[in-house]
Amino acid sequence: MSQTRPPGPRDVEATWTILKLLSRTSEYFATRDIEHPRTDAEILLAHSLGLRRIDLYVQYDKPLTPEELTRFRELVRRRARREPVAYITGEKEFWSLALKVTPAVLIPRPETECLVEACLSVLSKDEAYGVRRILDLGTGSGAIILALAAERPGDRFIAVDQSDEALSIARENARQHGMDQRIRFLKGDWFSPVDSGEAAFDLIVSNPPYIRRADIETLQQEIRGFEPMAALDGGPDGTDCLAYIIATAPQHLRSSGHLLLEIGCDQRLLLERAVKAAGCYDEVAFLKDYSGHDRVLRLRKKA
């Protein structure tokens, strides 16, 4: 097994069918300690051939041409160097939306869908307010704001990011899904581009950096070696950005408006102190992710 290598055109004696290639690539990824060897092999081969993953099994006995093998082998090499699959394919699905991603933006995670669910729950509780105004801070690929806009076509949305590259990707994703006319994208650091004269927001949401600086070196190579550090580094205790947003958001929320944040699973005590110091909230709730860990902080501004 240790001698397993990625297949390629030099294997002239072999006829590389899709099924044989998936088997060999999965074995090779396993020797490189890739977490999901079979899944990654399927995604990369389907991407390389322009097929859906299910089509790989419909056409399992199809032989690949030398050109197809060369193209696929380069993708395998990139994955073996720990480059995330989403950056190799340039796409990641979130909330059933296919999103463009590059190393300029964080790859959307399944647990962030818990944040979207929490936002939708808040927004659905009281429709008496009519059209809601929603602000997404540090939008990145636009995953959160696009998911919310897809579910709430009548509301108004603003997304902020300090990165020109990230905003370009978010705008492209919005165009791809026909939402570019419904979301305003603004460049700036957190609340800085938001006009203080505008009506207050009904909901502010953010997935800010929340990794402890000292913990970054312990992350998987896929994360620390490829994803944008500005989207990961939350300062010495991981709460620099979280605490700032908690303290500042009340200036931009309407009375009884909500702030929802994605958080680290072990940051509850630190964030409870930040909420208490802000003194502006009358409802505090920590919500669990799919693994049962604290993942979302939901706050309501005092009336």
Side-chain angles (χ1 to χ4, degrees), residues 202-221:
D202 297 281
L203 185 144
I204 297 173
V205 60
S206 183
N207 176 17
Y210 57 75
I211 306 298
R212 291 186 186 88
R213 188 166 295 152
D215 290 344
I216 288 176
E217 285 304 310
T218 70
L219 299 175
Q220 292 177 308
Q221 175 62 20

Side-chain angles (χ1 to χ4, degrees), residues 129-144:
Y129 288 101
V131 176
R132 310 297 184 84
R133 300 187 71 254
I134 298 159
L135 172 64
D136 178 23
L137 299 172
T139 195
S141 66
I144 295 170

Side-chain angles (χ1 to χ4, degrees), residues 29 34-35 48 58 83 96 101 158 167 191 222 237 244 263 271-272 275 289 299:
F29 281 163
I34 300 296
E35 188 174 6
S48 176
V58 174
E83 184 174 353
S96 299
V101 293
I158 294 178
L167 285 172
F191 296 97
E222 285 89 340
D237 64 12
Y244 174 78
I263 64 172
L271 295 175
E272 284 176 337
V275 172
D289 62 18
L299 304 173

Side-chain angles (χ1 to χ4, degrees), residues 88 240 282:
I88 296 173
D240 282 4
D282 63 4

Side-chain angles (χ1 to χ4, degrees), residues 12-79:
V12 293
E13 75 284 357
T15 298
W16 286 104
T17 64
I18 284 177
L19 192 60
K20 186 184 294 186
L21 201 56
L22 284 176
S23 179
R24 168 65 75 83
T25 304
S26 299
E27 292 175 3
Y28 174 65
F29 281 163
T31 68
R32 302 303 294 260
D33 295 323
I34 300 296
E35 188 174 6
H36 303 291
R38 183 73 176 200
T39 298
D40 288 2
E42 291 175 357
I43 292 172
L44 293 178
L45 185 54
H47 175 75
S48 176
L49 298 177
L51 299 174
R52 299 172 302 166
R53 283 173 65 186
I54 193 172
D55 292 331
L56 298 177
Y57 293 95
V58 174
Q59 304 179 35
Y60 68 94
D61 57 348
K62 175 184 179 295
L64 272 69
T65 67
E67 293 77 14
E68 289 171 333
L69 280 171
T70 298
R71 187 166 62 246
F72 176 62
R73 194 174 189 212
E74 177 54 30
L75 303 188
V76 172
R77 283 175 174 156
R78 291 171 64 182
R79 183 67 188 108

